[in-house]
Amino acid sequence: MSWLKQSLAQVSDPRRAQGKRYDLPHVLLYSVLAVASGATSYRKIEQFLQAHWQSLNEAFGSRRVVGFEVHDSDSADHAVALLKRAALAEGLHGRPPEQRPVLHGDNGDNGATLKATTVLAMLHWLKIRPSYSRPRVSDDNAFVESLFRTAKYRPEFPASGGFKDLQAARQWASAFVHWYNHDHRHSGIRFVSPAQRHAGQDREILAARDALYRQARQANPKRWSGKTRDWSPIGAVTLNPQREGVAAALDAAAAEISRVAV
């Protein structure tokens, strides 16, 4: 699906900057998915997204933790330092602005920090767009909610829910992130590790699995009641397209498609 998103990225965006809430390639991609699933109108496309928005977003993405720090207080200075370190580690300086990520923050625990002037200035310098959850919507960042659940259900997580000191918290977080990135086989990315997905190694791994399954089915066809498991790579990466206002964004996308087709 990545090739489709790359193709859609070539479509010029006619929308005014004031009215943009979603980047056009993702709007077009989700519209295509909706139409392929049977949607025949803008309203049907909106209904499709409302029904499947979380599963779509959980299905896309590398899930790799690209940077983390543990502190005993929340501050803009910590956030700026983490942003700089993660951006350097990911080589963002070598990417064009349109290929740089979006930093999504909530409006609760760290909302004020991520809106601080120093943090916004660093994001602007790194050409990273900020994004924020809607008020009182806890699941606007499906990736983080999934990560938190995985962390809390690890057997090494303290039963009391807390750590004895800052050093203990840092040691646990370091071990957890290493396990999550390199050892955890994530169901949302076809049971490869986030590090493998992030490095682009998932295609080769999944192709080998697909070949193995096909060989097994050919060797023992009676043991298979249907097709082999779908090991096709996961494609585009995005975060929750907010459910409200989707129809308006799709209308803009449809108008652009009509203009290009003429």
Side-chain angles (χ1 to χ4, degrees), residues 2 11 16 42 49 51 64 86 90 93 97 102 111 119 125 127 137 146 151 165 167 184 228 257:
S2 58
V11 178
R16 295 179 301 173
Y42 301 154
L49 294 182
R64 180 174 176 268
E90 291 298 304
H93 61 282
V102 174
V119 175
W125 184 70
K127 295 181 174 59
V137 180
S146 176
D165 53 36
Q167 185 61 24
H184 179 45
T228 59
I257 292 174

Side-chain angles (χ1 to χ4, degrees), residues 83 87 92 100-103 123-130:
L83 281 170
L92 292 189
R100 299 195 182 191
V102 174
L103 177 65
L123 291 174
H124 177 74
W125 184 70
L126 293 171
K127 295 181 174 59
I128 296 176
R129 289 177 295 161

Side-chain angles (χ1 to χ4, degrees), residues 195-213:
Q196 290 170 332
R197 160 69 178 169
H198 199 72
Q201 300 169 351
D202 57 323
R203 292 183 175 276
E204 183 177 352
I205 294 171
L206 294 174
R209 287 183 190 171
D210 183 60
L212 180 63
Y213 268 57

